[in-house]
Amino acid sequence: MPKASILLIEDDAALAELLQEELEAESYRVRHAGSAEQARVELAREVPDLVISDVRLPGADGLSLLPLVKGLAPAPAMLIITAFGTVSQAVAALKAGADDFLTKPFDMDHCLLTVARLLEHRGLKQQLERVLKGERFHDILGQSLPMRRLFQQIRQVAGAEGPVLVLGESGTGKELVARALHRESGRAGGPFLAVNCAGIPGELLESEFFGHASGAFTGASKARTGLLREADGGTLLLDEIGEMPLELQAKLLRVLQEGTLRPVGSDREIRVDVRIIAATHRDLEQKVAEGSFREDLFYRLETFSLRVPPLRERGEDIERLAQLFLQQGRERSGKAVRGFGPDCLELFHRYPFPGNVRELQNAVERALVFCEEEWIQPGHLPARMLKAGAEPPVPAVTDWQDRVREQLPPLSELQRDYMRYVLQQTKGNKQRAAEILGVTRRTLYRWLEQEGV
């Protein structure tokens, strides 16, 4: 059974014959083309898994084939070989989309290892793409029940014209939700602007949002449009809305109610058509009670409110997200890390992720930097994750605990009975049962095997 198909583009007949023999000895199915023109014919006939091409070819060079190769679906990996290798040539090939570069004469064992690595990397990428297909909602990845509910709510709310309040902890992806709302709405063809209310100095906020007339204040030599008018016909995301000053909240409320605004230093009302999406990780009701957020604005924004679930409520999505971030990191760094070890995945499911998806992404990026092995292990992750994700220590058993235990069924028996009950209630759905039990599916399978269930 052949491992993969390879198109070898090489005009040196002796080298082509040697390479073809070595590759076929590794069970690869190899086709040969002696020129760029012949290669185009072969590529049209069948899309290979890997293209190995010399740079210097009759009539054209191998680099000219890169756009064609990378435009195929699914795109093959591409290995460039040349007898005239230079740093500039290697950089040009990699920038153009080549996956690797070898200089002749090369060691055949090294060449075969490179071929195997490129094919494995392509296979992992395709596998990930298949896993992710159908699990994305615009730029949001999620198949867990809380995320599927959120996606349904986004579809329902997107068609309305009122403002939307997006609630969620830091790092959950509130801006991605806002962008999905925009893309699902009738305003998708208009602009989408995002601004962090906590990131603009208070004295500039009004001008930033509403614009100003020329000469409105010192330094205002030119008129400014303002974010609300720039987003006209589209959507404006006000991130960290809870940090907006009270006086600006009143003016924003007027925009929501009347659809008009007045730039700083102007006596003219201007009509705007913009949908406001506000996002915050703060408790706005508490801020209303404290007097730091207008009650009327809160109720206006809360007409449609969406809650983005924290990562700890999305156990089913954690491994998929980690694999996605690993794939993205591999593409940037070129490191050939294959994946996560089982202990690492187990730790991901135990750790509460207070920083949510953003923390997971940062942890994977860090692990990829420090990993010099095939698989990422717990030791490559931040120390806080190892500490927080560690199993709690087993307390010492006292005499009174011994006496109590004599009167109760063994814990293993209670666990087995509860596990059977949960499986019965979920009609044998092990993924759902694992979520209810608060363990990974791997752990549940291990329990079932141990208990003979």
Side-chain angles (χ1 to χ4, degrees):
M1 186 77 177
K3 287 185 181 179
S5 63
I6 297 175
L7 175 60
L8 173 62
I9 310 170
E10 173 60 66
D11 63 327
D12 184 328
L15 178 58
E17 184 179 357
L18 173 62
L19 270 172
Q20 186 162 356
E21 287 179 0
E22 293 287 344
L23 291 167
E24 288 176 345
E26 296 293 319
S27 300
Y28 297 119
R29 181 164 54 89
V30 183
R31 291 178 293 142
H32 173 243
S35 66
E37 182 179 354
Q38 188 180 354
R40 293 176 190 276
V41 173
E42 292 294 334
L43 288 169
R45 183 178 301 160
E46 179 187 349
V47 177
D49 298 303
L50 171 68
V51 173
I52 302 176
S53 177
D54 197 350
V55 168
R56 292 202 170 184
L57 296 169
D61 62 46
L63 296 182
S64 68
L65 294 171
L66 266 169
L68 171 61
V69 171
K70 291 302 180 180
L72 297 172
M78 188 157 186
L79 174 63
I80 294 292
I81 56 175
T82 180
F84 306 90
T86 64
V87 172
S88 61
Q89 210 169 29
V91 170
L94 296 174
K95 281 186 175 180
D99 296 283
D100 212 336
F101 188 99
L102 290 179
T103 304
K104 295 187 278 188
F106 49 77
D107 179 76
M108 188 58 69
D109 288 337
H110 177 62
C111 177
L112 294 175
L113 285 173
T114 302
V115 167
R117 176 175 57 80
L118 291 179
L119 286 169
E120 181 183 36
H121 178 74
R122 179 178 183 268
L124 289 171
K125 185 176 181 180
Q126 287 184 314
Q127 181 182 5
L128 180 62
E129 288 173 352
R130 285 194 296 270
V131 169
L132 298 181
K133 188 177 181 181
E135 297 184 3
R136 280 183 181 274
F137 182 73
H138 296 286
D139 292 330
I140 312 172
L141 174 66
Q143 274 292 93
S144 60
L145 181 59
M147 293 305 291
R148 294 201 302 270
R149 286 173 178 163
L150 176 62
F151 298 158
Q152 179 60 29
Q153 291 170 348
I154 291 173
R155 293 186 186 97
Q156 292 171 332
V157 170
E161 276 297 305
V164 183
L165 180 61
V166 181
L167 304 170
E169 299 175 9
S170 294
T172 50
K174 295 186 289 295
E175 182 172 338
L176 292 178
V177 170
R179 290 183 181 275
L181 278 165
H182 173 72
R183 292 171 182 169
E184 285 285 313
S185 74
R187 298 174 176 269
F192 176 90
L193 300 180
V195 60
N196 189 324
C197 298
I200 303 175
E203 63 273 14
L204 299 179
L205 272 172
E206 185 174 2
S207 172
E208 190 74 18
F209 282 108
F210 297 91
H212 61 252
S214 176
F217 50 84
T218 303
S221 57
K222 295 181 179 180
R224 177 178 172 80
T225 304
L227 290 167
L228 286 163
R229 291 172 64 191
E230 289 175 14
D232 190 47
T235 305
L236 176 62
L237 168 63
L238 304 180
D239 200 7
E240 300 300 343
I241 186 70
E243 309 305 316
M244 180 178 282
L246 281 168
E247 59 272 19
L248 196 60
Q249 293 177 27
K251 295 186 176 184
L252 176 61
L253 182 61
R254 177 176 173 79
V255 174
L256 293 174
Q257 292 175 334
E258 307 295 335
T260 60
L261 61 83
R262 180 178 297 177
V264 177
S266 173
D267 57 1
R268 185 168 63 94
E269 290 286 333
I270 298 175
R271 181 160 293 280
V272 291
D273 175 26
V274 58
R275 187 180 199 181
I276 299 295
I277 299 178
T280 183
H281 70 283
R282 302 286 190 187
D283 185 342
L284 288 187
E285 289 188 85
Q286 180 64 34
K287 292 182 75 69
V288 168
E290 295 169 353
S292 59
F293 199 85
R294 291 182 62 103
E295 185 176 30
D296 47 5
L297 178 58
F298 170 69
Y299 289 128
R300 187 73 178 89
L301 292 173
E302 201 199 19
T303 304
F304 302 109
S305 62
L306 301 176
R307 175 183 174 270
V308 187
L311 188 56
R312 60 182 173 274
E313 295 178 9
R314 302 174 52 191
E316 192 177 339
D317 295 329
I318 291 176
E319 186 171 338
R320 292 182 177 90
L321 286 165
Q323 296 288 1
L324 172 63
F325 297 144
L326 178 60
Q327 177 62 31
Q328 292 172 343
R330 276 195 300 242
E331 290 175 357
R332 288 192 300 269
S333 66
K335 295 190 73 170
V337 176
R338 298 181 63 179
F340 301 95
D343 291 341
C344 188
L345 292 174
E346 190 76 27
L347 177 60
F348 281 157
H349 285 279
R350 289 202 308 267
Y351 183 66
F353 283 103
N356 293 293
V357 178
R358 187 182 299 126
E359 183 181 9
L360 173 60
Q361 183 175 11
N362 293 339
V364 172
E365 289 177 357
R366 179 193 188 278
L368 189 59
V369 169
F370 287 100
C371 182
E372 299 297 336
E373 308 160 22
E374 284 190 299
W375 303 94
I376 291 177
Q377 304 297 340
H380 300 126
L381 300 171
R384 68 177 182 279
M385 292 184 65
L386 299 179
K387 184 178 179 181
E391 295 287 355
V394 179
V397 179
T398 61
D399 291 340
W400 69 265
Q401 286 173 317
D402 281 334
R403 291 196 297 272
V404 170
R405 189 171 59 184
E406 289 172 0
Q407 303 172 35
L408 294 174
L411 180 60
S412 60
E413 185 177 325
L414 292 172
Q415 176 180 289
R416 183 174 62 250
D417 290 344
Y418 181 53
M419 186 167 49
R420 284 173 170 164
Y421 171 76
V422 171
L423 284 168
Q424 183 182 16
Q425 293 301 308
T426 60
K427 295 181 172 56
N429 186 326
K430 295 184 177 60
Q431 177 62 50
R432 181 62 183 140
E435 291 178 0
I436 294 173
L437 292 167
V439 299
T440 65
R441 189 163 52 183
R442 185 180 288 105
T443 298
L444 177 60
Y445 281 128
R446 189 171 66 247
W447 286 356
L448 292 172
E449 185 177 351
Q450 291 171 351
E451 299 297 336
V453 176

